[in-house]
């Protein structure tokens, strides 16, 4: 099957539960193999989720595809640190702030490059999901305190943390963020579906 066809949604799928089970198995197929780079795998994941939602137009009850953004914000410590590289040759490099999320692979229009997660400065749905280590569902972004509007057309949003579980600690690597043009676009079924998908993704990558 051509890779692009993994984002097709068969007409037999009519419920959200079926949709997320289908999307999970398509992602599982895409991740199968020895590619464990997180840039590569998160890129295909954001494309798969975004395009599958658009291919399932009854999803938001609006009769048209309503998702307008799907992507990742990652802990800045996962990215190469300019100050560390310069430090290796003895100079005092520029120190990039560590307490922030950086824009990662996504599908949709351009979005803000970073989100502050520092104590007292953190703001927005992504920072809240990251710091509280739990999924945040927002029915109406206008009424969410601190919401960061990357696109003024967005009406609702869901943000799910990427949790790396180990025997002695849990680390949050970043978040998966979806935006919708309809009010109350996401609910508990989306939360359950996306949490399973993030678990699959975290296990499929080297961090
Ligand atoms: N709305 C998010 C910012 C990211 S964009 O939606 C892509 C927030 O409040 O954190």
């Amino acid at each position: 099957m051509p890779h692009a066809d993994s984002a097709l949604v068969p007409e037999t799928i009519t419920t959200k539960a079926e949709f997320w089970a289908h999307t999970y198995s398509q992602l599982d197929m895409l991740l199968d193999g020895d590619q464990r780079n997180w840039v590569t795998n998160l890129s295909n994941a954001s494309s798969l989720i975004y395009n599958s939602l658009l291919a399932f137009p009854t999803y938001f009850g609006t009769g048209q595809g309503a998702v307008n953004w799907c992507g990742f914000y990652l802990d800045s410590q996962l990215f190469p640190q300019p100050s560390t590289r310069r430090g290796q040759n003895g100079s005092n490099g520029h120190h990039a702030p560590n307490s922030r999320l950086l824009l990662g692979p996504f599908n949709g229009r351009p979005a803000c490059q970073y989100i502050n997660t520092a104590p007292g400065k953190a703001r927005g749905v992504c920072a809240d999901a990251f710091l509280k280590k739990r999924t945040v569902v927002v029915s109406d972004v206008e009424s969410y305190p601190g919401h960061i509007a990357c696109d003024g057309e967005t009406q609702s949003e869901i943000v799910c943390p990427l949790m790396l579980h180990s025997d002695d600690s849990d680390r949050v690597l970043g978040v998966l963020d979806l935006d919708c043009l309809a009010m109350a676009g996401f609910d508990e079924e989306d939360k359950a579906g996306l949490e399973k998908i993030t678990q699959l993704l975290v296990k499929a990558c080297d961090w």
Side-chain angles (χ1 to χ4, degrees), residues 16-86:
K16 279 193 177 193
E18 289 168 349
F19 172 84
W20 286 119
H22 170 76
T23 307
Y24 182 97
S25 65
Q26 297 298 91
L27 181 62
D28 200 20
M29 254 188 320
L30 277 176
L31 295 171
D32 194 23
D34 57 5
Q35 181 48 261
R36 294 187 54 82
N37 183 286
W38 62 258
V39 175
T40 304
N41 290 339
L42 300 192
S43 298
N44 260 347
S46 61
S47 172
L48 175 74
I49 299 166
Y50 181 79
N51 286 291
S52 299
L53 283 166
L54 291 180
F56 188 40
T58 54
Y59 194 84
F60 297 100
T62 58
Q64 59 183 10
V67 66
N68 61 324
W69 204 84
C70 172
F72 297 88
Y73 281 92
L74 286 312
D75 184 343
S76 59
Q77 294 185 31
L78 291 167
F79 293 79
Q81 302 286 313
S83 54
T84 308
R85 282 206 305 269
R86 287 184 200 140

Side-chain angles (χ1 to χ4, degrees), residues 69 73 103 111-112 115 123-127 141 144 146-151 154 157 159 177 179:
W69 204 84
Y73 281 92
L103 179 61
C112 52
I115 291 171
R123 170 173 95 81
V125 191
C126 292
V141 295
Y144 191 90
H147 170 257
I148 299 167
C150 292
D151 183 338
T154 296
E157 180 163 3
V159 181
D177 180 14
D179 291 347

Side-chain angles (χ1 to χ4, degrees), residues 137-191:
V137 181
V138 180
S139 316
D140 174 8
V141 295
E142 292 285 329
S143 63
Y144 191 90
H147 170 257
I148 299 167
C150 292
D151 183 338
E153 292 185 12
T154 296
Q155 301 289 327
S156 57
E157 180 163 3
I158 185 168
V159 181
C160 182
L162 303 181
M163 299 298 305
L164 180 63
H165 301 291
S166 65
D167 288 344
D168 48 0
S169 67
D170 282 345
R171 180 180 173 201
V172 55
L173 302 161
V175 298
L176 167 59
D177 180 14
L178 273 77
D179 291 347
C180 180
L181 296 171
M183 291 281 268
F186 304 104
D187 60 20
E188 289 299 308
E189 282 192 282
D190 303 301
K191 176 176 180 288

